[in-house]
Amino acid sequence: MTSRRLAALTALGLTGALALTACASDADPQAAPSDASGGIVTVHNGEPQNPLIPTMTNEVNGALAVQNLFAGLVYYDAEGGVHNEVAESIESPDNQTWTITIADGWTFGDGTPVTAESFAKAWDYGAALDNKQSLSYFFEPITGFSYDENTSLIEAGGLVVEDDSTLVVSLAQPESDFPIRLGYAAFFPLPESFFEDPEAFGEAPVGNGPYVLESWEHDSSISLAPNPDYTGNRAPQNAGLELVAYTDEDSAYNDLLAGELDIIKNVPSSAFATFEDELEGRSVNQPAAVIQVMTVPEWLPEFQGDAGMLRRQAVSHAIDRAAVTETIFSGSRTPATDFTSPVIDGWTEDIPGNDVLDYDADLAADLWAQAETLAPLGDYTLQIASNADSDHQTWVDAVCNNIRTVLEIGCEFFPYPTFDEYLDARDSGTVPGLFRGGWQADYPAMSNFLGPIYGTGAGSNDGQWSNAAFDAKLAEASGATEPDDAVELYMEAEAILFENLPGIPLWYNNATGGWADTVDDVAFGWDSDPILYQVTKSE
């Protein structure tokens, strides 16, 4: 969730090189020979929402396990740089037809080889509508993908396995940043055992990554051991990982201070003012590819039509983002000025229409009054929903205080006891008000903050918004061959978002994490997650 050299290395800054060579760097300054010794590293986590199947994992608790159990064609270093992992090369003459060569020597934990077919069948399964995979929309660019019928990418010719080491991918249009996406979970390979029993596999996944699954005690912990057959650059430098499922961040932080936990992913707001002193150099507070928004459900009648648009604008103008980020987060958040992240190359705060994010109490009150004239709500209470097992009520209360004072309406926190219960309600479209939409980038590119969240039918379009002009602008931006052209088109897409406000941007998150004096070599990456394979711990 990273200042460092991120902007120079990631996203569109890489696409020019990838369009020519289509092969990411093999050199990783953090890579080291496997030691796999010392102690087991305990890490703050939560209960995954879904089985541990790569194409079903689109939330942070499951992602931390999946990213360490599997290896993709490429992976991302701490700064967001892209490096080959299972891929020997990724090449294209036109950014539309990509030839991927699989490196020799890769196997799954069951001893079966990782081949071109391992990727093709996994992607084909993930894209098929009948399989109802959360990340199916990531395969939309591949020839044969359909939202209307259960088409096979393999049968449609979008994926062609030429031999065990060669996969040819055909896209519907040129997309110069396609290789950057291939380190994300949606594009991980699967062994044959998955297709024999997907349900059983989700409980006990067999991957090809730096770790193998030892056990998964639901609502308690996930235990991972070093994979002795892993041949990539992310070789474990510890004896294993224990991902501990906490139901609140204060408990995790207190365990860290007591020496009962090695790494905490997120510092609770109660410790924002003190954690850097309390942890004495064992913490991070650095920009990350993470944004918080309030999603506006399109099913709520009070936010539909002309009156609904006025209300969206009124709520946005009523929020004093600068005051909330300083008072509640002690400067560990930055008020948002767009829908992406400042650590992603191509980011700019000069988006037409983003003045709707400015705090303006008088304008907010006037806009709400205009909406009441068009479609009166009368005595109304706005609810803001999120999970109660993480540290969200504090900022929701602060935002509600703004809204109650400025708009003279009711506002309250609508809590779901756990993160997975909140996600289930969100995914089923039963949330009764605005709801928290936290987005941690899947891969380091502007496109990842836009299409997956706001594209029609996209898997993380939780507010169910749809806009043909926005979809068309995304497609145009994806097909741009020059990075500067793509940036301009993504800016135009963001302008459409500001016209419609399917979500109300709040702030960009810093990675705020910490570790005990029991571990060394701890770093947090561009996406805010700790890089666990390199952590060392004495026995």
Side-chain angles (χ1 to χ4, degrees):
M1 269 191 196
T2 202
S3 50
R4 297 195 284 271
R5 297 181 297 117
L6 187 67
L9 291 170
T10 59
L12 293 169
L14 278 173
T15 56
L18 287 168
L20 295 174
T21 68
C23 180
S25 168
D26 291 305
D28 179 2
Q30 294 179 339
S34 178
D35 185 13
S37 61
I40 294 173
V41 179
T42 57
V43 186
H44 158 228
N45 203 46
E47 174 68 7
Q49 180 193 16
N50 295 312
L52 296 178
I53 298 169
T55 48
M56 277 298 291
T57 303
N58 65 344
E59 48 81 28
V60 293
N61 293 329
L64 195 62
V66 167
Q67 289 286 347
N68 286 284
L69 287 169
F70 290 85
L73 293 165
V74 303
Y75 72 98
Y76 313 118
D77 65 26
E79 288 79 26
V82 183
H83 304 270
N84 284 345
E85 191 164 28
V86 181
E88 181 178 296
S89 63
I90 306 171
E91 301 175 328
S92 176
D94 56 6
N95 293 332
Q96 185 166 4
T97 300
W98 296 89
T99 299
I100 299 170
T101 302
I102 308 300
D104 293 335
W106 284 87
T107 61
F108 291 104
D110 58 9
T112 59
V114 179
T115 66
E117 187 174 53
S118 305
F119 287 93
K121 290 185 67 174
W123 299 4
D124 197 54
Y125 182 93
L129 298 185
D130 286 356
N131 295 326
K132 297 180 171 59
Q133 298 296 286
S134 299
L135 302 181
S136 62
Y137 60 95
F138 276 90
F139 304 104
E140 181 180 8
I142 300 176
T143 298
F145 181 88
S146 174
Y147 285 114
D148 301 318
E149 55 183 328
N150 198 54
T151 304
S152 165
L153 301 182
I154 294 175
E155 293 178 2
L159 300 174
V160 177
V161 177
E162 292 192 342
D163 53 46
D164 283 350
S165 61
T166 309
L167 173 64
V168 178
V169 183
S170 297
L171 306 182
Q173 67 171 18
E175 303 211 8
S176 57
D177 69 350
F178 179 68
I180 298 175
R181 309 171 198 176
L182 299 181
Y184 183 52
F187 298 100
F188 288 165
L190 290 169
E192 282 299 318
S193 59
F194 167 80
F195 303 99
E196 296 167 4
D197 192 341
E199 184 176 353
F201 185 95
E203 290 295 310
V206 176
N208 63 322
Y211 294 90
V212 295
L213 182 73
E214 281 199 325
S215 65
W216 180 7
E217 300 295 329
H218 288 279
D219 298 306
S220 178
S221 66
I222 297 173
S223 297
L224 307 180
N227 178 2
D229 298 320
Y230 175 78
T231 61
N233 286 338
R234 295 187 293 144
Q237 304 300 299
N238 49 64
L241 308 173
E242 184 179 1
L243 310 182
V244 184
Y246 282 87
T247 57
D248 72 272
E249 290 174 349
D250 281 298
S251 295
Y253 186 70
N254 289 333
D255 282 353
L256 182 75
L257 293 177
E260 297 174 0
L261 180 70
D262 293 322
I263 298 174
I264 185 171
K265 295 191 301 182
N266 303 302
V267 172
S269 63
S270 60
F272 279 151
T274 60
F275 78 97
E276 291 177 294
D277 291 331
E278 290 174 330
L279 295 178
E280 301 180 29
R282 293 179 282 109
S283 66
V284 294
N285 183 4
Q286 62 193 32
V290 182
I291 189 171
Q292 292 283 345
V293 305
M294 288 195 303
T295 301
V296 182
E298 297 301 315
W299 58 82
L300 294 182
E302 62 265 40
F303 289 101
Q304 296 173 357
D306 292 339
M309 184 55 59
L310 291 169
R311 291 193 178 100
R312 297 176 196 225
Q313 295 168 356
V315 169
S316 183
H317 281 301
I319 301 170
D320 189 344
R321 293 164 177 78
V324 173
T325 53
E326 184 56 40
T327 303
I328 302 301
F329 296 112
S330 299
S332 64
R333 306 289 187 268
T334 302
T337 56
D338 86 322
F339 286 83
T340 66
S341 165
V343 302
I344 296 297
D345 193 37
W347 173 87
T348 177
E349 58 185 354
D350 298 324
I351 306 293
N354 70 350
D355 55 347
V356 75
L357 303 183
D358 294 342
Y359 175 60
D360 190 328
D362 292 338
L363 177 57
D366 180 60
L367 290 166
W368 191 269
Q370 291 180 47
E372 284 295 285
T373 300
L374 292 174
L377 293 177
D379 185 15
Y380 175 74
T381 296
L382 175 65
Q383 294 178 314
I384 301 176
S386 186
N387 50 307
D389 61 349
S390 193
D391 202 18
H392 297 298
Q393 181 165 0
T394 305
W395 70 258
V396 172
D397 287 345
V399 167
C400 273
N401 284 337
N402 280 168
I403 290 171
R404 283 192 294 265
T405 301
V406 172
L407 301 183
E408 298 183 345
I409 61 173
C411 185
E412 62 186 20
F413 180 46
F414 188 93
Y416 289 88
T418 64
F419 188 42
D420 52 342
E421 290 175 278
Y422 164 64
L423 294 177
D424 288 341
R426 182 201 69 182
D427 294 347
S428 63
T430 59
V431 179
L434 305 185
F435 57 88
R436 180 182 67 86
W439 185 255
Q440 175 182 350
D442 306 312
Y443 56 88
M446 289 180 71
S447 58
N448 188 235
F449 285 86
L450 304 178
I453 310 173
Y454 302 110
T456 299
S460 294
N461 187 341
D462 303 313
Q464 301 178 15
W465 183 69
S466 178
N467 183 286
F470 177 78
D471 294 340
K473 190 61 65 177
L474 280 187
E476 188 180 359
S478 295
T481 57
E482 295 297 328
D484 289 346
D485 293 341
V487 167
E488 289 298 321
L489 292 166
Y490 284 126
M491 288 174 59
E492 293 175 16
E494 287 201 74
I496 295 172
L497 294 180
F498 278 119
E499 289 174 5
N500 294 271
L501 286 180
I504 299 172
L506 296 174
W507 39 76
Y508 311 117
N509 287 32
N510 278 15
T512 53
W515 56 94
D517 58 10
T518 51
V519 291
D520 293 301
D521 304 307
V522 181
F524 283 66
W526 63 278
D527 58 355
S528 84
D529 280 342
I531 301 173
L532 298 178
Y533 69 87
Q534 69 182 35
V535 177
T536 57
K537 181 179 181 179
S538 300
E539 292 188 84

